[in-house]
């Protein structure tokens, strides 16, 4: 997830691009760079760090330029890995957002043909491919280039001899800002709002040419197309949140894309995670907070798919636990990669002689330096304090790790692995279906907002989802909530059930379904209002006072879908109560003290 800005017009690009990038900083901020057409050549300036670290005065005055702010995926944050990139001739400069899955083989071929590379990124191959494909027309060169790319991209390019900007998109956002005697390109609307409110949203497969007074677009088949110009009446602040009132809601809605990116990045990227070199007979998962809940779900996922026994520990407890003479392969999960308890646990695990794998969202974060292996979630920056899309993508990585382990241990057949991967690929669409129910969930949340205590119950793999639902509600709505295995309420918590105590019951059609319905019946008999979440089912609906339907999904993958319902419950309940949703009281996004 990176930020892209392009400008062609009559003003100097320097301030326009830097200001635009600043507005996109929420998309990534580990390095920044600008390329401008400077007379008959390209001038390039790029640097590790924030946009403010770019020496602004060194950017030449020009009316055509492109800029980028990076959130690293391939290659650590550094001056060399910062965008833009140049081809060998220095005439073509490109910026890219997305992931090029087949870049390794493209790069090898390009090196064989004499191209020299300056970075570790997947993106640089695009500049070199364009150089090979350029025969006088940049649109033509870009069209030929994207034909060989697999993955996702928003690409913007300039040439030292042409007064134009060309761009292409597929599965990564890119908008055109249509101005008066000037035109712009950006990954998101906030970057162009100072210049124009007229926007064309490009579609997957589109290629575009921008001159200062016109815009031409071609579709994926190369046919000229018109894309409707829409006028956005957002303020800058609205636009930074994608038109949502809170980052949390924006991030909830980014989940289909985040799942897609995490699958795409990992299915190929896993070639680099060679688990075969480790002896893995048992696994310990360690984390805090929401990441701990992902670890708990991970236990079910890994045991079911690979048959490897797992245990889960809170990072703050692990460090002080007895040192038994066993060396499980240890997986540490942390969105930020900076949580002090998790870092201390990673050090302790290595000290005890365990081999470690870190799963984090932040490239080069401290956790990555404490572990033997790293896998990145592809959620992009998460700004809301409440973890949403990062929990979802942690689960995606755990499914993929489990599939690798299952294949490695031969407990999973190749056919079954493909069935699981197909189900993973369906998930973005299924999450969309839940998001379409937002209005219904909002209405139900008005009832929850009146409660003082709320229970969340689930069984099996959805028990930890109940814990996560309760945590989210406590965190942002400030309502006391507790998650339980549904079969456990009768061993004590039943004493708390009244007709003012809503119970959110996760009734998923897995092998515990009938038992779950039995538990829901017991709760109903105590008079508590029951909010069911599960597939359409007459029996469940009879028992529940309210019901949110989820689409049919393999039970093993249901946590992703069910959890989105619970995120929306928490959000709308907090909203109803007027809470400070993105910055809940007493909390911080990253907890760097033990
Ligand atoms: C969840 O909404 C919280 N913000 C919190 O529990 C968080 O998951 C926890 O502090 C761990 O953070 P990490 O994933 O960055 O290590």
């Amino acid at each position: 997830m990176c930020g892209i800005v392009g400008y062609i017009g009559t003003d100097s690009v320097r301030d326009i691009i830097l200001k635009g990038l600043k507005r996109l900083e929420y998309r990534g901020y580990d390095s920044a760079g600008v390329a401008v057409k400077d007379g008959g050549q390209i001038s390039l300036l790029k640097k590790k760090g924030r946009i403010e670290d770019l020496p602004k005065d060194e950017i030449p005055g020009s009316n055509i330029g492109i800029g980028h702010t990076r959130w690293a995926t391939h290659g650590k944050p550094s001056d060399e890995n910062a965008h833009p990139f140049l081809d060998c001739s220095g005439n073509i400069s490109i910026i890219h957002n997305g992931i090029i899955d087949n870049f390794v083989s493209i790069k090898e071929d390009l090196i064989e043909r004499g191209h020299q590379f300056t970075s570790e990124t997947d993106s640089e191959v695009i500049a070199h491919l364009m150089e090979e494909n350029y025969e006088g027309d940049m649109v033509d060169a870009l069209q030929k280039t994207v034909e060989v790319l697999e993955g996702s991209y928003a690409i913007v390019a300039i040439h030292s001899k042409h007064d134009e900007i060309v761009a292409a998109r597929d599965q990564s956002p890119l908008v055109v800002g249509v101005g008066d005697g000037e035109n712009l390109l950006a990954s998101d609307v906030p970057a162009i709002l100072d210049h124009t409110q007229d926007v064309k949203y490009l579609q997957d497969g589109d290629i575009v040419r921008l001159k200062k007074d016109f815009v031409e677009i071609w579709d994926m088949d190369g046919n000229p197309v018109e894309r409707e110009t829409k006028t956005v009446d957002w303020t800058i602040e609205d636009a930074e949140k994608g038109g949502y009132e809170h980052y949390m809601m924006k991030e909830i809605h980014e989940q289909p894309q985040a799942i897609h990116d995490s699958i795409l990045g990992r299915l190929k990227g896993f070639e680099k995670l060679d688990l075969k070199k480790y002896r893995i007979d048992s696994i310990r998962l360690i984390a805090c907070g929401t990441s701990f809940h992902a670890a708990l779900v991970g236990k079910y996922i890994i045991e079911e798919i690979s048959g490897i026994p797992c245990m889960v520990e809170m990072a703050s407890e692990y460090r002080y636990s007895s040192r038994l003479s066993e060396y499980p392969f240890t997986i540490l999960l942390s969105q930020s990669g900076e949580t002090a308890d998790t870092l201390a646990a990673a050090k302790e695990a290595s000290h005890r002689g365990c081999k470690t794998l870190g799963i984090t969202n932040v490239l080069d974060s401290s956790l990555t330096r404490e572990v033997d292996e790293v896998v990145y979630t592809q959620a992009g920056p998460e700004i809301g304090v409440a973890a949403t899309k990062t929990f979802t993508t942690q689960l995606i990585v755990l499914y993929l790790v489990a599939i690798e382990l299952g294949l490695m241990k031969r407990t999973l057949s190749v056919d079954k692995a493909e069935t699981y991967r197909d189900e993973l690929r369906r998930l973005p669409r299924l999450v969309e279906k839940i998001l379409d129910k937002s209005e219904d969930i909002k209405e139900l949340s008005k009832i929850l907002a009146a409660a003082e205590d709320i229970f969340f119950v689930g069984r099996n793999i959805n028990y930890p989802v109940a814990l996560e639902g309760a945590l989210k509600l406590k965190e942002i709505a400030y309502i006391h909530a507790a998650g339980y295995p549904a079969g456990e309420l009768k061993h004590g918590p039943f004493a708390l059930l009244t007709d003012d105590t809503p119970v959110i019951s996760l009734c998923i059609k897995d092998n515990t379904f009938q038992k779950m319905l039995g538990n829901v019946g017991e709760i109903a008999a105590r008079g508590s209002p029951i909010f069911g979440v599960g597939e359409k089912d007459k029996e469940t609906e009879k028992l529940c006072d309210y019901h949110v339907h989820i689409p049919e999904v393999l039970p093993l993958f249901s946590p992703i879908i069910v959890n989105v319902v619970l995120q929306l419950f928490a959000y709308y309940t907090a909203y109803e109560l007027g809470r400070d949703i993105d910055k809940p009281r007493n909390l911080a996004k990253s907890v760097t003290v033990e």
Side-chain angles (χ1 to χ4, degrees):
M1 193 166 167
C2 305
I4 282 179
V5 185
Y7 175 85
I8 180 163
T10 46
D11 287 345
S12 163
V13 290
R14 193 188 288 156
D15 288 329
I16 297 169
I17 289 188
L18 292 182
K19 207 165 168 189
L21 290 180
K22 195 76 201 134
R23 297 259 162 76
L24 296 178
E25 220 176 6
Y26 76 89
R27 299 181 62 83
Y29 38 75
D30 60 46
S31 54
V34 176
V36 301
K37 182 173 177 295
D38 183 13
Q41 58 179 24
I42 302 282
S43 284
L44 190 74
L45 188 67
K46 52 186 195 165
K47 231 178 160 14
K48 179 180 171 182
R50 298 269 171 153
I51 294 154
E52 301 77 70
D53 301 332
L54 271 182
K56 185 176 158 186
D57 297 341
E58 290 176 26
I59 304 172
S62 167
N63 313 119
I64 304 172
I66 57 179
H68 189 272
T69 170
R70 180 168 184 251
W71 174 258
T73 53
H74 290 88
K76 59 182 183 305
S78 66
D79 291 356
E80 295 73 31
N81 290 336
H83 296 221
F85 294 106
L86 286 173
D87 67 340
C88 296
S89 72
N91 285 319
I92 296 175
S93 180
I94 70 102
I95 50 181
H96 165 234
N97 172 30
I99 297 170
I100 305 302
D101 284 336
N102 56 342
F103 89 97
V104 175
S105 59
I106 295 177
K107 191 169 175 176
E108 280 166 6
D109 292 348
L110 284 163
I111 289 171
E112 244 172 59
R113 295 199 291 271
H115 290 262
Q116 285 176 355
F117 285 80
T118 56
S119 79
E120 305 158 317
T121 66
D122 53 339
S123 309
E124 195 180 0
V125 298
I126 299 166
H128 294 271
L129 282 174
M130 286 199 63
E131 178 177 24
E132 287 197 342
N133 290 324
Y134 176 73
E135 288 173 281
D137 184 81
M138 282 290 278
V139 166
D140 187 45
L142 186 54
Q143 226 143 19
K144 289 184 179 135
T145 297
V146 296
E147 272 168 25
V148 301
L149 301 180
E150 286 169 21
S152 61
Y153 55 78
I155 300 167
V156 180
I158 52 173
H159 191 290
S160 61
K161 307 282 180 292
H162 297 276
D163 284 350
E164 63 183 24
I165 304 178
V166 297
R169 77 152 269 176
D170 194 10
Q171 302 171 67
S172 284
L174 196 58
V175 296
V176 176
V178 185
D180 188 11
E182 58 182 9
N183 287 306
L184 297 101
L185 276 158
S187 352
D188 203 354
V189 174
I192 59 174
L193 273 185
D194 283 328
H195 291 265
T196 178
Q197 292 181 301
D198 292 335
V199 173
K200 285 180 188 289
Y201 290 90
L202 295 178
Q203 293 182 13
D204 282 346
D206 281 358
I207 291 199
V208 57
R209 188 197 316 265
L210 255 64
K211 299 265 188 189
K212 73 177 160 52
D213 33 29
F214 71 84
V215 175
E216 286 173 289
I217 305 175
W218 293 265
D219 67 11
M220 59 170 67
D221 301 316
N223 301 315
V225 277
E226 269 302 316
R227 297 287 175 225
E228 190 192 341
T229 305
K230 296 188 175 160
T231 303
V232 289
D233 54 2
W234 293 342
T235 63
I236 302 278
E237 211 207 346
D238 287 344
E240 276 170 351
K241 292 177 186 154
Y244 297 101
E245 229 176 301
H246 299 97
Y247 282 109
M248 181 181 175
M249 198 45 144
K250 176 169 177 274
E251 286 156 5
I252 288 174
H253 278 79
E254 281 169 354
Q255 289 178 113
Q257 182 75 43
I259 296 172
H260 177 270
D261 291 349
S262 297
I263 297 171
L264 210 76
R266 293 279 75 79
L267 282 182
K268 308 264 174 176
F270 257 3
E271 287 150 22
K272 275 186 253 146
L273 174 67
D274 183 12
L275 291 172
K276 288 190 202 78
K277 60 185 180 211
Y278 301 107
R279 188 190 157 143
I280 307 182
D281 295 326
S282 63
I283 293 175
R284 178 179 271 130
L285 297 117
I286 302 178
C288 302
T290 290
S291 296
F292 172 71
H293 295 149
L296 286 173
V297 180
K299 171 182 160 69
Y300 289 86
I301 295 172
I302 295 172
E303 289 184 347
E304 171 74 25
I305 295 181
S306 73
I308 301 173
C310 296
M311 52 207 142
V312 187
E313 257 180 275
M314 277 185 192
S316 53
E317 289 298 308
Y318 169 72
R319 202 175 166 198
Y320 304 100
S321 61
S322 324
R323 293 181 171 212
L324 302 174
S325 57
E326 31 100 38
Y327 308 99
F329 186 72
T330 302
I331 302 180
L332 297 116
L333 295 107
S334 173
Q335 182 285 128
S336 59
E338 302 295 344
T339 299
D341 284 322
T342 312
L343 291 178
K347 282 195 185 96
E348 177 64 19
S350 297
H351 190 63
R352 291 183 191 187
C354 303
K355 293 294 171 197
T356 53
L357 163 67
I359 298 177
T360 181
N361 195 39
V362 182
L363 206 111
D364 231 19
S365 55
S366 304
L367 181 64
T368 64
R369 289 187 282 277
E370 299 295 342
V371 288
D372 298 303
E373 302 287 338
V374 182
V375 175
Y376 291 103
T377 48
Q378 301 289 341
E382 190 175 64
I383 294 169
V385 164
T388 51
K389 58 178 180 168
T390 53
F391 171 83
T392 299
T393 51
Q394 283 170 342
L395 294 193
I396 297 292
V397 169
L398 288 166
Y399 285 115
L400 291 166
V401 168
I403 292 170
E404 287 306 306
L405 289 170
L407 290 170
M408 195 173 106
K409 291 270 173 191
R410 297 178 195 274
T411 45
L412 179 70
S413 69
V414 171
D415 280 357
K416 191 85 180 167
E418 214 27 60
T419 307
Y420 287 152
R421 288 182 181 131
D422 284 346
E423 195 68 351
L424 281 172
R425 292 187 191 100
R426 280 179 73 224
L427 292 175
R429 251 183 309 124
L430 301 186
V431 170
E432 296 280 5
K433 288 190 177 176
I434 299 296
L435 297 176
D436 289 345
K437 294 178 188 291
S438 293
E439 279 307 309
D440 298 341
I441 297 173
K442 186 177 181 179
E443 278 309 302
L444 294 179
S445 301
K446 290 182 181 158
I447 309 172
L448 296 178
E452 281 180 13
D453 283 299
I454 299 179
F455 282 91
F456 287 74
V457 294
R459 292 189 76 121
N460 201 282
I461 196 167
N462 280 292
Y463 154 52
V465 180
L467 294 176
E468 172 59 10
L471 173 65
K472 213 93 301 176
L473 193 85
K474 282 185 275 211
E475 189 178 16
I476 61 165
Y478 316 156
I479 295 179
H480 177 257
Y484 273 98
E488 191 62 20
L489 282 195
K490 55 183 171 294
H491 298 289
F494 259 12
L496 293 171
L497 295 186
T498 68
D499 48 12
D500 289 329
T501 321
V503 181
I504 298 182
S505 307
L506 312 180
C507 305
I508 309 308
K509 289 187 177 166
D510 61 9
N511 57 347
T512 63
F513 184 55
Q514 284 309 325
K515 286 271 176 269
M516 181 71 199
L517 293 190
N519 298 142
V520 174
E522 294 157 9
I523 298 165
R526 270 79 193 165
S528 297
I530 298 175
F531 292 64
V533 179
E535 295 95 339
K536 263 193 186 149
D537 176 75
K538 284 205 180 90
E539 227 182 313
T540 322
E541 278 155 52
K542 247 193 265 163
L543 285 168
C544 299
D545 298 278
Y546 313 97
H547 198 262
V548 180
H549 292 141
I550 64 157
E552 298 284 338
V553 57
L554 284 183
L556 186 62
F557 296 83
S558 60
I560 299 258
I561 311 299
V562 173
N563 188 56
V564 177
V565 178
L566 305 191
Q567 290 170 352
L568 292 170
F569 270 138
Y571 176 85
Y572 284 120
T573 307
Y575 187 86
E576 183 66 19
L577 293 166
R579 307 301 193 213
D580 189 355
I581 292 181
D582 285 332
K583 292 194 181 83
R585 69 183 179 205
N586 305 336
L587 298 177
K589 181 74 185 157
S590 181
V591 185
T592 53
V593 287
E594 281 186 62

